[in-house]
Amino acid sequence: MSGVSDIYTALVIDEGEVLYIYPDQYNYQTVGVGHLLTKENNRLAAISILNKIVGRSTNGYITKNESQQIFMGDVAKFKKQVLQSSVLYPIFIKLDEVRQAGLLNMCFQMGVSGVEDFHNSLTLVANGSYTQAETSLMKSRWASQTSNRAKRVISTLVTGTFDSYNS
């Protein structure tokens, strides 16, 4: 993959982007870049929710632009939660924009509360102890369960670049 220079492009690689409603791995109705519409296995309910989000009748299909807008809303939601987190806030504000994107990527996958459990690893990142942070993060269950994604995100946190997405 070439040309990754922002969180949207990175998460499209990690999550995929689907421009119609589909059931995710848990059978939850989802659209765009992993945007959960409803946990109900009810397509009509999902369409109704999607119509409200984009402000038009969608029949379950969205445009690339609408997907990006939904995604940016999701990122803003996670960023707000991170900034309200007593655990993540002091770490997040020490990071450059690319490393912040790596942390937000983790939140997108595991939720803010899931990422809060990485106390030691994130403290190492915040303190610039990147080699130790990489070792610690690679030992996590997250890294063993989603190894390719975790390697890319960890590299982003460690290097402060999106190079792992561009190789």
Side-chain angles (χ1 to χ4, degrees):
M1 240 343 121
S2 64
V4 176
S5 61
D6 57 54
I7 189 170
Y8 171 76
T9 313
L11 270 161
V12 166
I13 290 170
D14 290 332
E15 292 279 334
E17 182 173 36
V18 181
L19 300 179
Y20 54 86
I21 295 173
Y22 66 95
D24 72 4
Q25 65 188 27
Y26 302 109
N27 231 13
Y28 299 158
Q29 301 299 299
T30 307
V31 72
V33 185
H35 179 83
L36 173 67
L37 293 167
T38 179
K39 291 184 177 182
E40 289 181 51
N41 189 8
N42 181 332
R43 183 172 168 76
L44 292 178
I47 290 172
S48 177
I49 293 165
L50 182 60
N51 291 350
K52 289 177 186 166
I53 291 170
V54 299
R56 67 174 180 84
S57 178
T58 64
N59 200 28
Y61 292 83
I62 58 173
T63 66
K64 180 96 167 154
N65 187 50
E66 289 167 336
S67 177
Q68 290 173 335
Q69 290 174 345
I70 292 168
F71 173 81
M72 293 314 293
D74 289 344
V75 169
K77 175 186 81 171
F78 283 117
K79 188 170 185 178
K80 181 179 180 183
Q81 290 173 357
V82 166
L83 295 175
Q84 293 172 340
S85 166
S86 61
V87 173
L88 297 180
Y89 172 77
I91 296 166
F92 188 80
I93 61 168
K94 288 183 176 184
L95 303 177
D96 59 70
E97 187 176 331
V98 174
R99 288 184 173 97
Q100 286 179 349
L103 184 65
L104 288 169
N105 187 317
M106 291 176 72
C107 292
F108 203 91
Q109 184 179 9
M110 296 178 277
V112 169
S113 61
V115 176
E116 287 175 335
D117 292 336
F118 288 80
H119 294 283
N120 295 336
S121 298
L122 294 173
T123 299
L124 290 166
V125 169
N127 291 335
S129 301
Y130 300 121
T131 303
Q132 296 95 323
E134 180 176 28
T135 301
S136 177
L137 286 165
M138 286 304 293
K139 291 178 183 175
S140 70
R141 185 169 41 157
W142 163 65
S144 67
Q145 290 176 337
T146 57
S147 61
N148 290 335
R149 179 180 186 163
K151 286 175 188 171
R152 288 188 296 268
V153 174
I154 291 167
S155 177
T156 300
L157 288 168
V158 169
T159 67
T161 72
F162 288 107
D163 289 351
S164 60
Y165 288 89
N166 292 314
S167 54

